[in-house]
Amino acid sequence: MRKLIIDLVERTVATYAVAFLGLLLADKFDLTSIGSLKAAAVAALPAALTVLKGAVATRIGDPDSAALLGRGSRE
C-alpha cells in the first residue's frame, strides 16, 4: 500500500507541475498576474484526474501501482 501511495503522489505532483508550468508559459510566465492564480487553480484539475486514474488503475492493473499496466506486464 505504501508503494501505491508514493507512486500516486509522485504522478500527481508531476502532473500538477507540468500543467501549471504549461499554463504559465502560455500566459507569458507573469507570476504577478491574476492569470497565474487561475493557472494554479486550473492545473489542479488534471492532478485530480490523475488521482482518480490511479484509483481505477489499482482495480485493473497491479494493485500496488498507479499504472494501468497489467499485473504480469512488468516482468
Side-chain angles (χ1 to χ4, degrees):
M1 181 66 147
R2 184 168 190 262
K3 179 183 171 188
L4 171 65
I5 299 294
I6 292 170
D7 186 18
L8 194 53
V9 167
E10 178 186 345
R11 290 169 190 259
T12 303
V13 169
T15 300
Y16 181 82
V18 167
F20 181 62
L21 288 174
L23 289 168
L24 278 181
L25 289 173
D27 192 35
K28 298 178 181 66
F29 209 74
D30 183 10
L31 290 174
T32 61
S33 72
I34 296 297
S36 302
L37 297 174
K38 287 182 182 178
V42 170
L45 294 173
L49 291 174
T50 298
V51 173
L52 182 62
K53 179 252 175 198
V56 169
T58 62
R59 304 284 185 218
I60 295 172
D62 183 357
D64 292 328
S65 172
L68 283 171
L69 298 173
R71 295 172 197 263
S73 63
R74 288 194 168 186
E75 297 174 24

